[in-house]
Amino acid sequence: MVSLSNSASVAERLAEICDAQPFVTRFLMRNLLTGETIERCADEETPSASTRKTSIMMAALKAAQEGRLDLDEPVTYEARFAEEVASGMFRYMTPGIVISLRDAITGMMVLSDNVCTKMVFERLTLEEVDIYCKSIGLAGTHHRFLIPPLALSPDHALKSVTTTTARDQAVLLQMILDAQTSTAVQEKLGVSAALCAYALQTLKNQILRYAIPSRLPFGTVVAHKGGTGKRGRMNAGIVYRDDAPFYIISAYTDEVPLAMPDGTPGYTMALETIGRLSRACWDGFAS
């Protein structure tokens, strides 16, 4: 059991890590051993970048549960899907490849492939995904665009992109976790136990290992989704220890400069900051 005094020291360490940087960091950490939460500006709207894809995945799985989508439907990669795309692998591949819709969802999540995101979004609407988020309690999440424009400036307005809050993403991850055993949460999400299991495993299959996992012991299981935005970097996930869920971390950096005073790229320090926050939870929550 983590003592209250130790929890306070974890909160102090998290604050120190954030305060050491000139950019904004918003987060929500939940110790899954005690249920205690530590947060910083967790309800402030912030660019979501690709962390939005977790809710897109769940909306697609709900549509599949209702029979409106077929996860086995073949989807053909067309050249048009690669237009205005700056992430993933498909954009470099030869058009004509056929994959299932299920595999498109997997590609959207585990490699943040925006060709795959377009494949998925051709079968959903922005309004549908946005309404779904509101229906499950993610009131601070607003889906505004299929794919953010490549020409966005680093100081773009919030309404130029999809936005969320650190709390919303932590809540969503908690629901996906709880849905592994709770029929009530499965019903709230509108997704079966089997599809909720697929969602959690897909988050665990994440290939990109920066931010949350970067300072954790090699091989640590992290079910997470990161994001690359013009204003910052972000990552939200569930960290496991001894084969059990240990803590949820939802962290968003914003107003990150292109370069730090010493010349280090701003995004490097943004990712490093999230990694340090995660390590502070790993060390502090275990005491």
Side-chain angles (χ1 to χ4, degrees):
M1 181 71 68
V2 178
S3 68
L4 291 177
S5 60
N6 186 65
S7 178
S9 68
V10 174
E12 290 172 0
R13 177 60 184 143
L14 296 176
E16 289 173 359
I17 292 168
C18 296
D19 292 343
Q21 302 303 331
F23 47 78
V24 174
T25 303
R26 305 177 176 98
F27 67 73
L28 189 146
M29 317 298 190
R30 176 168 298 128
N31 182 340
L32 294 173
L33 303 180
T34 67
E36 186 167 12
T37 294
I38 303 171
E39 59 188 72
R40 181 185 178 106
C41 304
D43 292 313
E44 289 185 3
E45 188 175 356
T46 187
S48 72
S50 288
T51 63
R52 70 195 175 102
K53 294 173 184 175
T54 304
S55 57
I56 297 171
M57 172 177 67
M58 297 311 295
L61 295 181
K62 179 177 185 289
Q65 180 70 33
E66 295 171 346
R68 295 184 290 111
L69 289 182
D70 179 2
L71 296 180
D72 293 320
E73 175 193 352
V75 183
T76 302
Y77 166 43
E78 302 174 29
R80 64 187 176 88
F81 287 142
E83 296 172 3
E84 288 290 302
V85 165
S87 66
M89 181 180 69
F90 258 96
R91 57 192 165 136
Y92 300 122
M93 301 182 74
T94 305
I97 297 171
V98 179
I99 62 174
S100 68
L101 177 58
R102 179 184 289 99
D103 289 340
I105 293 172
T106 299
M108 174 180 75
M109 297 300 296
V110 305
L111 199 55
S112 209
D113 195 305
N114 271 343
V115 166
C116 291
T117 305
K118 286 185 174 182
M119 291 175 174
V120 175
F121 248 137
E122 283 219 331
R123 288 149 181 84
L124 297 169
T125 67
L126 274 173
E127 182 182 24
E128 177 181 1
V129 177
D130 196 60
I131 290 173
Y132 176 70
C133 287
K134 305 301 187 296
S135 75
I136 60 174
L138 309 185
T141 299
H142 308 284
H143 285 266
R144 296 188 176 98
F145 296 92
L146 297 181
I147 302 292
L150 292 181
L152 275 176
S153 65
D155 61 349
H156 66 76
L158 283 176
K159 290 188 177 181
S160 299
V161 294
T162 290
T163 52
T164 190
T165 66
R167 188 181 310 281
D168 273 9
Q169 294 305 310
V171 166
L172 179 57
L173 289 168
Q174 184 75 64
M175 284 192 287
I176 293 171
L177 182 62
D178 292 345
Q180 304 308 303
T181 56
S182 169
T183 55
V185 180
Q186 292 162 17
E187 290 173 1
K188 181 174 183 178
L189 290 171
V191 179
S192 69
L195 290 178
C196 286
Y198 162 78
L200 183 60
Q201 185 59 51
T202 300
L203 287 163
K204 289 180 180 178
N205 291 344
Q206 176 60 245
I207 290 173
L208 304 174
R209 302 290 294 177
Y210 48 65
I212 292 173
S214 64
R215 285 179 164 256
L216 301 182
F218 181 78
T220 298
V221 174
V222 184
H224 67 122
K225 184 70 194 79
T228 299
K230 289 293 183 72
R231 288 176 35 161
R233 297 294 188 272
M234 45 288 291
N235 203 192
I238 305 163
V239 176
Y240 286 70
R241 190 167 189 156
D242 299 327
D243 299 321
F246 184 24
Y247 60 89
I248 288 175
I249 168 172
S250 176
Y252 288 76
T253 63
D254 195 7
E255 300 177 24
V256 177
L258 291 177
M260 306 299 286
D262 66 355
T264 300
Y267 75 84
T268 300
M269 287 311 303
L271 294 171
E272 175 66 4
T273 294
I274 297 173
R276 289 175 176 171
L277 291 172
S278 181
R279 184 69 203 207
C281 292
W282 178 271
D283 292 336
F285 290 160
S287 302

